[in-house]
Amino acid sequence: MLLLWLSLITAWAGAAPAPGSEGPTLRAARAPNVVLVASDSFDGRLTFHPGSQVVKLPSINFMKTHGTSFLNAYTNSPICCPSRSAMWSGLFTHLTQSWNNFKGLDPNYTTWMDIMEKHGYRTQKFGKLDYTSGHHSVSNRVEAWTRDVAFLLRQEGRPMVSLIPDKNKVRVMEEDWKNIDTTINWLRTEGINYTKPFVLYLGLNLPHPSPSPSSGENFGSSTFRTSLYWLEKVSHDVIKIPKWMPLSEMHPVDYYSSYTKNCTGKFTDKEIKSIRAFYYAMCAETDAMLGKIILALHQLDLLQKTVVIYTSDHGELAMEHRQFYKMSMYEASAHVPLLIMGPGIKANLQVPSVVSLVDIYPTMLDIAGIPLPQNLSGYSLLPLSSEPVKNEHQFTNLHPPWILSEYHGCNVNASTYMLRTNQWKYIAYSDGVSVLPQLFDLSSDPDELTNIATKFPEITYSLDQKLRSIVNYPKVSASVHQYNKEQFVMWKQSVGQNYSNVIANLRWHQDWLKEPKKYEGAIDWWLKTHTTPKTV
């Protein structure tokens, strides 16, 4: 493997444009192939210093050296289906109305891949897609619909780790590796036939933690699972133990999230470090899968005529802010990797400008030389990855100096909206009045521990006005609230007289069974309160 990597690097070094040099323009040459690899739950901060020091990621480093890396790329909704809906549609979440993991795009929605196919590209998808409606468990749906109910219930089990004590066990996530094999086989049998360019999508499950056995005290928990082989790729002495605010001082939405994720109990530094180490090891395995695809492209003489993109649907908190999973606007959850390399892409270029997953759609069409629709929320990243942006004014002409992310699903009891600019992160909730906002200066507070919204009211007001000019978030929040009620009532009616027994045995069953009447009463009260339907 090492010799193959060396040969790959040598071959690329002779063909890739040197840093600062002009690469060939895409429209001047024949339309290139495009390969998009999208993993799940990959913290984007690991792709650049100092996060990159904690785990060995040779494939990502290769892409950084021979392509463009976006240092501030974000999900448009920090959960699987809504995030992927944004990526495949090029539209913000409030426009697709992909509110939770059960409500995504219509299966017949026209994606960027559909458009590329109409313009002559061969198309292929493998692995995890997860951008259409109708997936995920009953628990996931009901927990999202009832997030406005005035109760606290643990929706997850305590996070766990599981080690395979084998230094030779490489293929831990077997399903992903099978998809890697299938993808490489397709490249060898179909992709190699370059009569027409192809666009290939590969979706990975890793490094998403896996579900634990659904019984016992950890019912509904998630497991960070890896082997000794991958754990040895992690620099344990560099692992940072995140600072936590006292529970009494947490933002109320953060407290709700920590409680529903079963993280309000005591965790030793050893436990926290172990969870984080296992997560980083899972990232190393993900990186190896990406490397297999790059290597196959090289061996088939396709790499020089293929644009390769790597990204993720969201990140992973891995015990930052007393949480795991995603569902948060904090950096670990919302910051995603985004790297592009290939013909016409600048080598060794780092772009600090804020971008997001809705930019994938116009970027894919731009690579293919297809005119961009006017209604997209995103902007092509090709101008940013083919020419260094010399100043903020030049960037503003290529992409707005902000990105929007929003969240409406489970484990968070208020619709959440994040406006990220160069320096500031502003987070608004619900109707903008009932829940206090948050403001972080990421230049001086990268760990997001100090909410300065009340300290700088002028900045808070200005960012809130900007956010409202992008999305009427109080109206969106009301619409989601009404949707949640309607969906819950339909589900309740569908299970009939068995409703009480079904809801008692969701992931929160241990808390629920202690006082079932109390929680059923809270739901009944919630359903009786009047909410006027509002159109987004």
Side-chain angles (χ1 to χ4, degrees), residues 21 38 59 74 115 147 234 275 299 343 353 413 452 485 512:
S21 68
S59 307
Y74 288 86
I115 294 178
R147 65 193 180 96
V234 178
I275 289 172
Q299 292 173 332
S353 312
N413 61 341
I452 55 176
K485 284 189 176 183
W512 185 282

Side-chain angles (χ1 to χ4, degrees), residues 199-233:
V199 55
L200 169 67
Y201 170 85
L202 171 62
L204 303 176
N205 285 292
L206 273 183
H208 194 299
S210 57
S212 68
S214 54
S215 61
E217 63 180 11
N218 284 306
F219 179 79
S221 69
S222 287
T223 304
F224 295 82
R225 186 169 184 264
T226 192
S227 68
L228 279 176
Y229 179 89
W230 296 114
L231 206 55
E232 289 181 345
K233 311 295 182 185

Side-chain angles (χ1 to χ4, degrees), residues 184-355:
I184 293 174
N185 183 63
W186 184 88
L187 287 170
R188 287 173 177 163
T189 57
E190 302 289 335
I192 195 67
N193 180 12
Y194 198 62
T195 56
K196 291 198 299 184
F198 65 80
V199 55
L200 169 67
Y201 170 85
L202 171 62
L204 303 176
N205 285 292
L206 273 183
H208 194 299
S210 57
S212 68
S214 54
S215 61
E217 63 180 11
N218 284 306
F219 179 79
S221 69
S222 287
T223 304
F224 295 82
R225 186 169 184 264
T226 192
S227 68
L228 279 176
Y229 179 89
W230 296 114
L231 206 55
E232 289 181 345
K233 311 295 182 185
V234 178
S235 300
H236 291 258
D237 56 332
V238 182
I239 297 175
K240 183 179 178 181
I241 302 295
K243 294 180 181 178
W244 287 353
M245 295 183 67
L247 287 168
S248 60
E249 297 178 17
M250 292 178 73
H251 187 277
V253 173
D254 286 337
Y255 179 84
Y256 177 89
S257 296
S258 293
Y259 194 95
T260 58
K261 293 177 181 178
N262 207 1
C263 288
T264 52
K266 292 187 179 298
F267 290 84
T268 65
D269 284 355
K270 183 179 180 181
E271 287 176 311
I272 296 170
K273 194 169 185 177
S274 180
I275 289 172
R276 292 173 71 76
F278 277 54
Y279 169 66
Y280 296 139
M282 293 162 71
C283 291
E285 186 176 0
T286 307
D287 179 85
M289 296 176 185
L290 173 64
K292 284 285 188 180
I293 301 301
I294 296 173
L295 188 58
L297 290 169
H298 165 64
Q299 292 173 332
L300 296 169
D301 197 28
L302 292 173
L303 193 57
Q304 311 307 324
K305 43 198 172 189
T306 302
V307 174
V308 180
I309 303 174
Y310 171 65
T311 191
S312 180
D313 56 354
H314 50 72
E316 164 62 56
L317 285 156
M319 303 311 291
E320 293 189 29
H321 299 277
R322 196 184 279 270
Q323 297 180 47
F324 68 110
Y325 265 178
K326 51 278 182 180
M327 307 149 178
S328 166
M329 294 304 173
Y330 288 123
E331 288 292 282
S333 167
H335 201 140
V336 298
L338 183 53
L339 303 104
I340 307 177
M341 71 176 188
I345 306 300
K346 281 284 183 178
N348 200 29
L349 176 64
Q350 294 186 333
V351 178
S353 312
V354 290
V355 299

Side-chain angles (χ1 to χ4, degrees), residues 373-443:
Q374 297 298 309
N375 65 332
L376 297 178
S377 301
Y379 294 77
S380 173
L381 299 176
L382 279 194
L384 293 175
S385 58
S386 58
E387 286 293 338
V389 179
K390 297 177 182 178
N391 53 57
E392 186 66 26
H393 176 72
Q394 183 184 358
F395 165 67
T396 303
N397 292 331
L398 301 175
H399 191 293
W402 52 264
I403 63 93
L404 170 70
S405 188
E406 52 189 296
Y407 184 72
H408 309 281
C410 57
N411 291 108
V412 178
N413 61 341
S415 286
T416 307
Y417 308 84
M418 184 259 280
L419 183 70
R420 171 75 162 92
T421 65
N422 181 45
Q423 179 181 2
W424 306 105
K425 177 182 288 189
Y426 176 66
I427 307 172
Y429 297 91
S430 186
D431 56 4
V433 177
S434 56
V435 182
L436 293 175
Q438 291 174 290
L439 176 66
F440 298 101
D441 181 351
L442 295 184
S443 63

